[in-house]
Amino acid sequence: MPTTLEIESTLTDRYQTTVPESVRRALQLGKRDKIHYTIRPGGEVVLTRAEPPEGDDPVIGQFLTFLALDIASHPERLQAVDASLVQHLQSLVGGIQVDLNAALSVDDA
């Protein structure tokens, strides 16, 4: 029979808590992951890792997290986009209509 591990954490004045490391490891939680709570009739609460909504791309999420951390760590690297670059890009794609909800063709996939 598997051993049950019991762990405690404390609520702050703002009703926040830190998820203990052993729980994070067991649920394979990383920064910005979501937690799902199931409240059972007897008052028992089951904590599980929330699955990302269908259609979310985990690679994009990881890239955006990386980008946010890099910007926070090195704000001196941020540069304004030059107006001439914006004009050049608009001249390249200006009249193209794109339906972001349309399915990709076999050639595009």
Side-chain angles (χ1 to χ4, degrees):
M1 174 178 245
T3 304
T4 301
L5 183 62
E6 295 185 22
I7 302 166
E8 293 181 357
S9 64
T10 303
L11 285 177
T12 67
D13 293 336
R14 296 179 61 194
Y15 298 100
Q16 296 174 334
T17 190
T18 300
V19 178
E21 180 184 3
S22 55
V23 175
R24 292 192 311 266
R25 268 188 282 135
L27 297 177
Q28 297 179 346
L29 292 171
K31 292 180 180 180
R32 316 264 327 144
D33 282 343
K34 294 189 182 290
I35 299 171
H36 178 82
Y37 301 88
T38 303
I39 303 171
R40 296 190 173 159
E44 181 182 48
V45 178
V46 178
L47 183 80
T48 55
R49 185 177 197 270
E51 294 302 318
E54 192 173 315
D56 278 6
D57 186 337
V59 175
I60 296 293
Q62 290 175 357
F63 173 72
L64 293 175
T65 299
F66 163 78
L67 196 57
L69 290 172
D70 189 59
I71 290 170
S73 299
H74 303 285
E76 71 280 1
R77 294 181 186 169
L78 292 178
Q79 296 179 3
V81 177
D82 184 68
S84 63
L85 176 60
V86 172
Q87 287 177 342
H88 179 65
L89 293 173
Q90 287 175 339
S91 73
L92 295 173
V93 297
I96 299 173
Q97 296 294 320
V98 177
D99 181 359
L100 297 176
N101 294 317
L104 292 175
S105 69
V106 175
D107 295 333
D108 293 332

XYZ file of all heavy atoms in Angstrom:
836
model
N 0.842 -1.182 0.000
C 0.000 0.000 0.000
C 0.892 1.251 0.000
O 1.805 1.369 0.804
C -0.912 -0.021 1.228
C -1.741 1.228 1.408
S -2.823 1.116 2.834
C -4.369 1.142 2.010
N 0.638 2.195 -0.921
C 1.467 3.397 -0.978
C 1.337 4.247 0.284
O 0.290 4.304 0.907
C 0.938 4.155 -2.186
C -0.176 3.375 -2.764
C -0.397 2.166 -1.917
N 2.436 4.886 0.635
C 2.449 5.767 1.803
C 1.819 7.104 1.451
O 2.058 7.650 0.387
C 3.900 6.002 2.259
O 4.507 4.748 2.504
C 3.955 6.852 3.503
N 0.995 7.631 2.357
C 0.397 8.945 2.174
C 1.325 9.976 2.793
O 1.758 9.833 3.926
C -0.985 9.016 2.856
O -1.826 8.018 2.281
C -1.605 10.380 2.668
N 1.620 11.014 2.040
C 2.472 12.087 2.518
C 1.590 13.266 2.872
O 0.751 13.677 2.084
C 3.474 12.484 1.423
C 4.499 13.534 1.764
C 5.399 13.065 2.900
C 5.334 13.849 0.534
N 1.725 13.794 4.073
C 0.932 14.943 4.509
C 1.839 16.153 4.644
O 2.918 16.069 5.219
C 0.242 14.640 5.837
C -0.787 13.536 5.724
C -1.560 13.322 7.013
O -1.610 14.256 7.850
O -2.099 12.232 7.174
N 1.378 17.289 4.092
C 2.171 18.508 4.083
C 1.275 19.670 4.451
O 0.091 19.685 4.114
C 2.777 18.742 2.677
C 3.635 17.541 2.301
C 3.568 20.014 2.606
C 3.987 17.494 0.860
N 1.827 20.648 5.141
C 1.070 21.847 5.506
C 1.687 23.071 4.869
O 2.873 23.112 4.574
C 1.079 22.050 7.027
C 0.325 21.006 7.797
C 0.346 21.286 9.297
O 0.990 22.265 9.738
O -0.279 20.521 10.028
N 0.849 24.092 4.669
C 1.334 25.425 4.304
C 0.453 26.424 5.045
O -0.614 26.082 5.531
C 1.293 25.650 2.791
O -0.025 25.630 2.308
N 0.906 27.652 5.134
C 0.220 28.676 5.912
C -0.406 29.717 5.006
O 0.186 30.106 4.000
C 1.230 29.371 6.847
O 1.841 28.366 7.664
C 0.558 30.401 7.732
N -1.611 30.172 5.350
C -2.257 31.265 4.623
C -1.739 32.597 5.135
O -1.598 32.790 6.337
C -3.779 31.226 4.817
C -4.551 30.167 4.052
C -6.031 30.241 4.434
C -4.399 30.348 2.567
N -1.508 33.510 4.216
C -1.108 34.860 4.613
C -2.362 35.662 4.955
O -3.487 35.171 4.831
C -0.373 35.579 3.458
O -1.305 35.796 2.399
C 0.814 34.766 2.969
N -2.170 36.904 5.368
C -3.305 37.780 5.664
C -4.179 38.013 4.436
O -5.344 38.366 4.558
C -2.810 39.137 6.187
C -2.148 39.013 7.553
O -2.458 38.048 8.285
O -1.323 39.883 7.889
N -3.607 37.816 3.251
C -4.347 38.012 2.000
C -4.861 36.688 1.438
O -5.187 36.579 0.268
C -3.466 38.715 0.981
C -3.092 40.131 1.451
C -2.206 40.837 0.482
N -2.889 40.992 -0.799
C -2.290 41.327 -1.920
N -0.994 41.537 -1.926
N -2.969 41.462 -3.028
N -4.890 35.630 2.250
C -5.379 34.302 1.881
C -4.551 33.666 0.765
O -5.053 32.935 -0.071
C -6.863 34.339 1.484
C -7.747 34.778 2.616
C -8.208 36.076 2.693
C -8.080 33.888 3.639
C -8.996 36.494 3.744
C -8.873 34.296 4.694
C -9.325 35.599 4.747
O -10.109 36.009 5.794
N -3.264 33.927 0.752
C -2.366 33.325 -0.216
C -1.477 32.329 0.495
O -1.259 32.424 1.700
C -1.510 34.397 -0.898
C -2.326 35.375 -1.715
C -1.477 36.518 -2.257
O -0.449 36.862 -1.691
N -1.928 37.106 -3.344
N -0.952 31.359 -0.281
C -0.041 30.381 0.280
C 0.984 29.994 -0.770
O 0.771 30.206 -1.962
C -0.785 29.122 0.777
O 0.122 28.298 1.517
C -1.393 28.328 -0.354
N 2.085 29.433 -0.337
C 3.087 28.888 -1.238
C 2.826 27.397 -1.374
O 2.636 26.705 -0.372
C 4.501 29.130 -0.678
O 4.696 30.533 -0.548
C 5.560 28.528 -1.560
N 2.808 26.915 -2.605
C 2.644 25.475 -2.816
C 3.982 24.824 -2.461
O 5.016 25.156 -3.050
C 2.256 25.171 -4.282
C 2.142 23.669 -4.497
C 0.952 25.878 -4.645
N 3.979 23.918 -1.481
C 5.240 23.305 -1.045
C 5.957 22.588 -2.195
O 5.319 22.076 -3.125
C 4.793 22.301 0.027
C 3.485 22.835 0.510
C 2.842 23.466 -0.685
N 7.276 22.555 -2.115
C 8.091 21.967 -3.185
C 7.697 20.529 -3.499
O 7.612 20.144 -4.668
C 9.571 22.025 -2.806
C 10.463 21.435 -3.879
C 11.926 21.406 -3.484
O 12.264 21.790 -2.349
O 12.731 20.985 -4.326
N 7.435 19.719 -2.493
C 7.084 18.315 -2.742
C 5.767 18.204 -3.517
O 5.606 17.312 -4.347
C 7.022 17.523 -1.439
O 6.141 18.146 -0.531
N 4.833 19.123 -3.286
C 3.568 19.126 -4.030
C 3.821 19.572 -5.473
O 3.298 18.992 -6.419
C 2.519 20.032 -3.342
C 1.247 20.142 -4.181
C 2.200 19.522 -1.947
N 4.642 20.600 -5.634
C 4.974 21.069 -6.992
C 5.629 19.953 -7.804
O 5.316 19.755 -8.979
C 5.909 22.286 -6.939
C 5.260 23.532 -6.368
C 6.107 24.786 -6.595
N 7.499 24.671 -6.239
C 8.022 25.026 -5.060
N 7.239 25.525 -4.109
N 9.306 24.903 -4.839
N 6.527 19.205 -7.163
C 7.182 18.090 -7.862
C 6.188 16.994 -8.203
O 6.189 16.470 -9.316
C 8.313 17.516 -7.019
C 9.647 18.164 -7.312
C 10.790 17.466 -6.627
N 10.790 17.886 -5.230
C 10.935 17.089 -4.187
N 11.153 15.819 -4.350
N 10.888 17.554 -2.962
N 5.331 16.640 -7.253
C 4.360 15.570 -7.484
C 3.399 15.906 -8.624
O 3.016 15.039 -9.400
C 3.578 15.284 -6.196
N 3.024 17.188 -8.725
C 2.088 17.615 -9.766
C 2.800 18.122 -11.024
O 2.148 18.523 -11.985
C 1.163 18.720 -9.224
C 0.243 18.318 -8.070
C -0.559 19.519 -7.599
C -0.672 17.182 -8.490
N 4.125 18.113 -10.986
C 4.944 18.625 -12.097
C 4.534 20.049 -12.463
O 4.285 20.372 -13.624
C 4.843 17.700 -13.310
C 5.372 16.326 -13.032
C 5.257 15.390 -14.214
O 4.569 15.656 -15.184
N 5.932 14.270 -14.114
N 4.449 20.903 -11.443
C 4.051 22.295 -11.640
C 5.268 23.168 -11.892
O 6.308 23.002 -11.262
C 3.318 22.828 -10.401
C 1.954 22.225 -10.109
C 1.467 22.687 -8.740
C 0.964 22.590 -11.189
N 5.108 24.091 -12.802
C 6.132 25.089 -13.062
C 5.531 26.464 -12.857
O 4.327 26.609 -12.584
N 6.350 27.476 -13.012
C 5.859 28.847 -12.869
C 4.749 29.086 -13.882
O 4.835 28.655 -15.016
C 6.993 29.845 -13.068
C 8.007 29.794 -11.949
C 9.127 30.782 -12.170
C 10.111 30.681 -11.027
N 11.219 31.594 -11.176
N 3.715 29.782 -13.447
C 2.569 30.180 -14.268
C 1.620 29.024 -14.594
O 0.641 29.209 -15.288
C 2.997 30.885 -15.558
C 4.071 31.910 -15.425
C 3.750 33.338 -15.288
N 2.591 33.817 -15.968
C 1.809 34.749 -15.472
N 2.079 35.267 -14.300
N 0.784 35.175 -16.132
N 1.905 27.793 -14.118
C 0.959 26.691 -14.306
C -0.272 26.941 -13.456
O -0.217 27.651 -12.449
C 1.585 25.345 -13.912
C 2.524 24.808 -14.968
O 2.463 25.284 -16.124
O 3.320 23.909 -14.647
N -1.367 26.352 -13.846
C -2.615 26.521 -13.121
C -2.899 25.277 -12.283
O -2.506 24.175 -12.629
C -3.760 26.786 -14.095
C -3.598 28.116 -14.819
C -4.833 28.452 -15.614
C -4.665 29.741 -16.367
N -4.645 30.912 -15.551
N -3.600 25.499 -11.174
C -3.970 24.425 -10.253
C -5.485 24.267 -10.289
O -6.220 25.253 -10.331
C -3.500 24.762 -8.820
C -1.977 24.898 -8.789
C -3.971 23.709 -7.829
C -1.443 25.436 -7.479
N -5.940 23.009 -10.274
C -7.375 22.711 -10.282
C -7.763 22.157 -8.909
O -7.064 21.306 -8.355
C -7.677 21.667 -11.368
C -9.099 21.259 -11.421
N -10.060 21.994 -12.065
C -9.738 20.199 -10.896
C -11.221 21.399 -11.946
N -11.056 20.308 -11.237
N -8.860 22.668 -8.356
C -9.355 22.215 -7.052
C -10.677 21.482 -7.248
O -11.571 21.978 -7.919
C -9.601 23.411 -6.115
C -8.376 24.250 -5.854
C -8.034 25.309 -6.692
C -7.563 23.983 -4.764
C -6.909 26.080 -6.449
C -6.436 24.756 -4.521
C -6.118 25.803 -5.364
O -5.009 26.560 -5.117
N -10.795 20.306 -6.644
C -12.058 19.577 -6.616
C -12.481 19.501 -5.155
O -11.745 18.967 -4.316
C -11.890 18.149 -7.185
O -11.369 18.249 -8.513
C -13.220 17.414 -7.198
N -13.659 20.056 -4.853
C -14.154 20.057 -3.470
C -15.200 18.956 -3.359
O -16.224 18.986 -4.034
C -14.747 21.425 -3.106
C -13.683 22.513 -3.309
C -15.268 21.415 -1.669
C -14.206 23.926 -3.193
N -14.925 17.998 -2.501
C -15.821 16.854 -2.324
C -16.826 17.149 -1.224
O -16.597 18.012 -0.363
C -15.002 15.610 -2.020
C -14.100 15.256 -3.206
C -13.465 13.921 -3.054
N -12.752 13.566 -4.265
C -11.786 12.677 -4.306
N -11.430 12.034 -3.208
N -11.188 12.408 -5.442
N -17.951 16.432 -1.211
C -19.030 16.720 -0.244
C -18.592 16.719 1.215
O -19.075 17.503 2.007
C -20.054 15.602 -0.506
C -19.813 15.192 -1.914
C -18.345 15.386 -2.163
N -17.648 15.898 1.603
C -17.219 15.832 2.998
C -16.243 16.929 3.397
O -15.745 16.947 4.510
N -15.960 17.858 2.485
C -15.037 18.937 2.794
C -13.613 18.662 2.338
O -12.736 19.510 2.462
N -13.367 17.473 1.801
C -12.045 17.140 1.295
C -11.805 17.901 -0.019
O -12.693 17.995 -0.861
C -11.945 15.635 1.043
C -10.605 15.183 0.540
C -10.574 13.688 0.270
O -11.489 13.159 -0.387
O -9.604 13.056 0.714
N -10.607 18.446 -0.159
C -10.236 19.177 -1.376
C -9.102 18.431 -2.054
O -8.092 18.121 -1.432
C -9.804 20.623 -1.056
C -9.370 21.345 -2.325
C -10.929 21.375 -0.363
N -9.293 18.145 -3.334
C -8.266 17.459 -4.112
C -7.619 18.485 -5.030
O -8.294 19.195 -5.770
C -8.874 16.301 -4.942
C -7.797 15.623 -5.776
C -9.567 15.305 -4.026
N -6.306 18.549 -4.966
C -5.532 19.505 -5.737
C -4.845 18.755 -6.872
O -4.151 17.773 -6.638
C -4.478 20.125 -4.804
C -3.569 21.189 -5.311
C -4.313 22.516 -5.290
C -2.344 21.275 -4.420
N -5.074 19.198 -8.120
C -4.440 18.576 -9.274
C -3.892 19.662 -10.191
O -4.252 20.833 -10.061
C -5.428 17.695 -10.066
O -6.563 18.468 -10.416
C -5.859 16.481 -9.267
N -3.060 19.255 -11.106
C -2.529 20.180 -12.111
C -3.619 20.404 -13.148
O -4.164 19.453 -13.694
C -1.300 19.561 -12.768
C -0.589 20.449 -13.725
C 0.671 19.702 -14.251
N 1.584 20.613 -14.859
C 1.565 20.936 -16.144
N 0.667 20.424 -16.932
N 2.449 21.775 -16.624
N -3.949 21.661 -13.420
C -4.967 21.970 -14.416
C -4.375 21.747 -15.799
O -3.234 22.099 -16.068
C -5.445 23.411 -14.268
N -5.155 21.141 -16.662
C -4.720 20.930 -18.036
C -4.967 22.211 -18.815
O -5.999 22.855 -18.645
C -5.487 19.769 -18.664
C -5.179 18.429 -18.009
C -3.691 18.065 -18.052
O -3.050 18.282 -19.091
O -3.185 17.575 -17.034
N -4.039 22.586 -19.675
C -4.247 23.804 -20.463
C -5.448 23.633 -21.389
O -5.712 22.513 -21.841
C -2.957 23.956 -21.267
C -2.227 22.666 -21.150
C -2.787 21.924 -19.980
N -6.170 24.717 -21.648
C -7.319 24.627 -22.549
C -6.879 24.110 -23.913
O -5.769 24.396 -24.363
C -7.831 26.059 -22.663
C -7.190 26.804 -21.554
C -5.952 26.053 -21.161
N -7.770 23.352 -24.547
C -7.471 22.822 -25.868
C -7.192 23.977 -26.826
O -7.882 24.984 -26.826
C -8.649 21.998 -26.376
C -8.320 21.186 -27.605
C -9.447 20.260 -27.995
O -9.999 19.600 -27.101
O -9.776 20.229 -29.183
N -6.183 23.830 -27.609
C -5.839 24.873 -28.564
C -4.691 25.746 -28.101
O -4.071 26.410 -28.907
N -4.399 25.756 -26.799
C -3.250 26.521 -26.320
C -1.977 25.796 -26.746
O -1.865 24.581 -26.612
C -3.258 26.660 -24.796
C -4.164 27.771 -24.317
O -4.878 28.354 -25.146
O -4.166 28.048 -23.110
N -1.031 26.527 -27.242
C 0.229 25.961 -27.678
C 1.233 26.086 -26.541
O 1.646 27.192 -26.189
C 0.724 26.704 -28.922
C 1.966 26.080 -29.531
O 2.701 25.369 -28.820
O 2.206 26.311 -30.726
N 1.666 24.960 -25.945
C 2.585 25.042 -24.805
C 3.935 25.652 -25.175
O 4.581 26.278 -24.348
C 2.739 23.586 -24.354
C 2.327 22.766 -25.518
C 1.330 23.585 -26.297
N 4.352 25.494 -26.414
C 5.636 26.065 -26.833
C 5.555 27.583 -26.847
O 6.466 28.271 -26.387
C 6.053 25.513 -28.214
C 7.326 26.193 -28.711
C 6.257 24.000 -28.139
N 4.444 28.114 -27.350
C 4.261 29.570 -27.355
C 4.244 30.090 -25.919
O 4.870 31.107 -25.613
C 2.963 29.976 -28.084
C 3.032 29.603 -29.558
C 2.668 31.457 -27.914
C 4.047 30.379 -30.358
N 3.548 29.381 -25.035
C 3.507 29.788 -23.629
C 4.888 29.821 -23.006
O 5.244 30.756 -22.283
N 5.695 28.805 -23.289
C 7.058 28.769 -22.752
C 7.901 29.889 -23.338
O 8.701 30.518 -22.633
C 7.703 27.414 -23.041
C 7.102 26.288 -22.245
C 7.668 24.934 -22.633
O 8.476 24.820 -23.540
N 7.237 23.903 -21.933
N 7.718 30.165 -24.626
C 8.476 31.250 -25.257
C 8.096 32.597 -24.645
O 8.963 33.423 -24.350
C 8.245 31.275 -26.769
C 8.876 32.469 -27.428
C 10.256 32.555 -27.565
C 8.098 33.520 -27.879
C 10.844 33.661 -28.157
C 8.682 34.627 -28.473
C 10.057 34.702 -28.617
N 6.786 32.820 -24.442
C 6.348 34.088 -23.862
C 6.859 34.249 -22.435
O 7.224 35.349 -22.017
C 4.828 34.204 -23.921
C 4.241 34.330 -25.332
C 2.715 34.314 -25.280
C 4.750 35.573 -26.035
N 6.906 33.151 -21.683
C 7.466 33.196 -20.334
C 8.952 33.549 -20.388
O 9.429 34.402 -19.637
C 7.264 31.850 -19.616
O 5.863 31.588 -19.521
C 7.874 31.852 -18.223
N 9.674 32.909 -21.306
C 11.093 33.219 -21.494
C 11.285 34.692 -21.846
O 12.142 35.369 -21.291
C 11.683 32.328 -22.596
C 12.986 32.834 -23.142
C 14.170 32.649 -22.440
C 13.039 33.505 -24.357
C 15.371 33.124 -22.931
C 14.233 33.979 -24.857
C 15.408 33.784 -24.148
N 10.456 35.179 -22.773
C 10.559 36.566 -23.215
C 10.304 37.531 -22.053
O 11.043 38.497 -21.864
C 9.560 36.805 -24.347
C 9.732 38.042 -25.194
C 11.102 38.093 -25.833
C 8.643 38.093 -26.253
N 9.261 37.255 -21.264
C 8.933 38.121 -20.123
C 10.072 38.145 -19.110
O 10.429 39.208 -18.577
C 7.641 37.655 -19.463
N 10.661 36.989 -18.838
C 11.778 36.928 -17.889
C 12.998 37.670 -18.432
O 13.697 38.364 -17.689
C 12.143 35.471 -17.586
C 11.123 34.689 -16.772
C 11.498 33.209 -16.711
C 11.000 35.272 -15.373
N 13.262 37.534 -19.730
C 14.398 38.219 -20.329
C 14.214 39.734 -20.289
O 15.143 40.472 -19.971
C 14.607 37.752 -21.767
C 15.904 38.278 -22.345
O 16.969 37.984 -21.763
O 15.846 38.996 -23.370
N 12.993 40.196 -20.578
C 12.710 41.630 -20.527
C 12.866 42.151 -19.092
O 13.447 43.212 -18.866
C 11.304 41.938 -21.084
C 11.296 41.717 -22.597
C 10.864 43.354 -20.746
C 9.908 41.748 -23.217
N 12.357 41.374 -18.128
C 12.472 41.798 -16.727
C 13.933 41.816 -16.265
O 14.342 42.689 -15.501
C 11.643 40.876 -15.836
N 14.729 40.852 -16.752
C 16.132 40.761 -16.342
C 17.025 41.778 -17.046
O 18.045 42.188 -16.501
C 16.676 39.360 -16.638
O 15.961 38.390 -15.926
N 16.651 42.154 -18.276
C 17.503 43.038 -19.076
C 16.682 44.131 -19.768
O 16.645 44.198 -20.996
C 18.277 42.234 -20.132
C 19.105 41.142 -19.563
N 20.300 41.375 -18.910
C 18.906 39.802 -19.499
C 20.813 40.222 -18.501
N 19.980 39.261 -18.835
N 16.043 45.007 -19.002
C 15.219 46.047 -19.625
C 16.043 47.004 -20.494
O 15.503 47.639 -21.399
C 14.588 46.779 -18.440
C 15.474 46.471 -17.280
C 16.057 45.115 -17.548
N 17.342 47.058 -20.265
C 18.193 47.952 -21.065
C 18.294 47.503 -22.520
O 18.683 48.285 -23.389
C 19.592 48.058 -20.444
C 20.461 46.820 -20.568
C 20.175 45.694 -19.567
O 19.261 45.831 -18.728
O 20.872 44.673 -19.633
N 17.915 46.270 -22.812
C 17.976 45.761 -24.185
C 16.776 46.195 -25.037
O 16.809 46.055 -26.246
C 18.034 44.236 -24.183
C 19.297 43.675 -23.589
C 19.260 42.170 -23.665
N 20.406 41.582 -22.976
C 20.518 40.297 -22.696
N 19.565 39.463 -23.042
N 21.578 39.849 -22.078
N 15.734 46.679 -24.398
C 14.541 47.078 -25.143
C 14.844 48.291 -26.012
O 15.514 49.227 -25.578
C 13.388 47.406 -24.189
C 12.805 46.235 -23.409
C 11.722 46.726 -22.471
C 12.260 45.179 -24.339
N 14.325 48.250 -27.236
C 14.532 49.360 -28.160
C 13.209 49.683 -28.834
O 12.408 48.794 -29.119
C 15.552 48.991 -29.238
C 16.934 48.718 -28.711
C 17.889 48.323 -29.830
O 17.536 48.313 -30.994
N 19.114 48.002 -29.448
N 13.006 50.943 -29.121
C 11.808 51.363 -29.850
C 11.937 50.906 -31.307
O 13.026 50.849 -31.860
C 11.664 52.877 -29.787
N 10.793 50.585 -31.910
C 10.779 50.209 -33.320
C 10.832 51.490 -34.142
O 10.038 52.406 -33.939
C 9.506 49.393 -33.658
C 9.455 49.074 -35.143
C 9.472 48.124 -32.828
N 11.769 51.541 -35.050
C 11.964 52.704 -35.904
C 10.774 52.864 -36.860
O 10.303 51.878 -37.446
C 13.262 52.513 -36.688
C 13.593 53.705 -37.535
O 13.916 54.758 -36.957
O 13.522 53.577 -38.767
N 10.299 54.082 -37.031
C 9.146 54.360 -37.898
C 9.393 53.925 -39.338
O 8.482 53.439 -40.022
C 8.784 55.837 -37.838
N 10.624 54.055 -39.814
C 10.914 53.643 -41.198
C 10.794 52.125 -41.355
O 10.366 51.632 -42.399
C 12.294 54.124 -41.640
O 13.298 53.530 -40.843
N 11.143 51.366 -40.321
C 10.979 49.913 -40.373
C 9.494 49.547 -40.433
O 9.096 48.678 -41.205
C 11.646 49.247 -39.168
C 11.458 47.731 -39.052
C 12.039 47.009 -40.273
C 12.087 47.212 -37.771
N 8.677 50.220 -39.638
C 7.234 49.973 -39.657
C 6.676 50.258 -41.050
O 5.903 49.464 -41.600
C 6.503 50.823 -38.588
C 5.001 50.706 -38.731
C 6.951 50.412 -37.193
N 7.072 51.364 -41.651
C 6.601 51.709 -43.003
C 7.047 50.661 -44.017
O 6.278 50.267 -44.895
C 7.111 53.094 -43.414
C 6.405 54.218 -42.698
C 6.990 55.579 -43.071
O 8.094 55.673 -43.586
N 6.224 56.627 -42.796
N 8.274 50.205 -43.903
C 8.777 49.182 -44.825
C 7.965 47.887 -44.696
O 7.583 47.276 -45.699
C 10.257 48.920 -44.568
C 10.854 47.870 -45.454
N 10.965 48.020 -46.818
C 11.356 46.651 -45.169
C 11.507 46.933 -47.341
N 11.752 46.094 -46.347
N 7.721 47.460 -43.467
C 6.932 46.242 -43.242
C 5.515 46.395 -43.777
O 4.972 45.475 -44.396
C 6.907 45.895 -41.747
C 8.252 45.462 -41.149
C 8.132 45.315 -39.638
C 8.738 44.176 -41.782
N 4.906 47.554 -43.575
C 3.561 47.795 -44.092
C 3.552 47.773 -45.618
O 2.596 47.292 -46.229
C 3.009 49.113 -43.558
C 2.624 49.021 -42.094
C 2.190 50.357 -41.505
O 2.522 51.410 -42.034
N 1.457 50.293 -40.401
N 4.609 48.245 -46.246
C 4.661 48.213 -47.709
C 4.764 46.773 -48.222
O 4.308 46.472 -49.314
C 5.842 49.039 -48.221
O 7.075 48.380 -47.977
N 5.345 45.898 -47.429
C 5.487 44.503 -47.837
C 4.189 43.703 -47.678
O 3.919 42.794 -48.454
C 6.602 43.826 -47.034
C 8.015 44.347 -47.262
C 8.979 43.694 -46.272
C 8.460 44.083 -48.694
N 3.403 44.027 -46.657
C 2.206 43.225 -46.349
C 0.920 44.043 -46.329
O -0.136 43.516 -45.996
C 2.362 42.495 -44.996
C 3.517 41.513 -45.029
C 2.534 43.481 -43.859
N 1.008 45.313 -46.710
C -0.100 46.244 -46.568
C -1.447 45.782 -47.085
O -2.454 45.916 -46.425
N -1.526 45.217 -48.278
C -2.825 44.884 -48.861
C -3.257 43.446 -48.661
O -4.267 43.010 -49.223
N -2.534 42.687 -47.888
C -2.839 41.264 -47.721
C -3.919 41.077 -46.659
O -3.807 41.573 -45.545
C -1.575 40.467 -47.347
C -0.544 40.585 -48.464
C -1.903 39.015 -47.050
C 0.799 39.978 -48.138
N -4.984 40.354 -47.034
C -6.052 40.028 -46.089
C -5.760 38.657 -45.476
O -5.435 37.707 -46.197
C -7.405 39.985 -46.810
C -7.830 41.319 -47.394
C -8.103 42.347 -46.299
O -8.676 42.035 -45.281
N -7.672 43.579 -46.551
N -5.892 38.545 -44.157
C -5.621 37.290 -43.457
C -6.802 36.961 -42.569
O -7.256 37.794 -41.795
C -4.339 37.406 -42.591
C -4.096 36.129 -41.817
C -3.147 37.747 -43.452
N -7.302 35.720 -42.688
C -8.358 35.219 -41.800
C -7.679 34.304 -40.788
O -7.333 33.164 -41.100
C -9.423 34.462 -42.591
C -10.548 33.943 -41.699
O -10.499 34.142 -40.468
O -11.482 33.329 -42.243
N -7.464 34.818 -39.577
C -6.752 34.045 -38.560
C -7.523 32.830 -38.081
O -6.959 31.933 -37.451
C -6.398 34.945 -37.376
C -5.432 36.098 -37.700
C -5.237 36.975 -36.461
C -4.112 35.585 -38.224
N -8.824 32.768 -38.372
C -9.647 31.630 -37.947
C -9.760 30.566 -39.024
O -10.304 29.491 -38.776
C -11.044 32.115 -37.541
C -10.985 32.993 -36.305
O -10.276 32.680 -35.358
N -11.699 34.091 -36.327
N -9.273 30.837 -40.218
C -9.364 29.864 -41.309
C -8.378 28.723 -41.086
O -7.272 28.930 -40.589
C -9.078 30.561 -42.642
N -8.799 27.514 -41.467
C -7.927 26.353 -41.354
C -6.792 26.475 -42.372
O -6.972 27.052 -43.454
C -8.719 25.082 -41.597
N -5.626 25.935 -42.024
C -4.497 25.950 -42.939
C -4.738 24.932 -44.057
O -5.307 23.871 -43.838
C -3.209 25.574 -42.212
C -2.682 26.564 -41.177
C -1.471 25.987 -40.460
C -2.320 27.884 -41.835
N -4.269 25.268 -45.246
C -4.343 24.306 -46.344
C -3.284 23.238 -46.128
O -2.376 23.416 -45.301
C -4.132 25.003 -47.678
O -2.786 25.443 -47.776
N -3.348 22.158 -46.899
C -2.369 21.085 -46.777
C -0.970 21.628 -47.060
O 0.004 21.229 -46.423
C -2.713 19.946 -47.757
C -1.645 18.859 -47.745
C -4.065 19.360 -47.419
N -0.855 22.573 -47.994
C 0.446 23.153 -48.326
C 1.014 23.996 -47.193
O 2.234 24.135 -47.063
C 0.340 24.024 -49.585
C -0.004 23.185 -50.815
O 0.330 21.996 -50.827
O -0.604 23.756 -51.746
N 0.128 24.597 -46.384
C 0.572 25.477 -45.302
C 0.889 24.742 -44.005
O 1.570 25.273 -43.150
C -0.489 26.536 -45.012
C -0.667 27.506 -46.163
O 0.303 27.711 -46.907
O -1.767 28.046 -46.311
N 0.350 23.551 -43.848
C 0.492 22.822 -42.575
C 1.871 22.287 -42.376
O 2.691 22.200 -43.182
C -0.523 21.693 -42.496
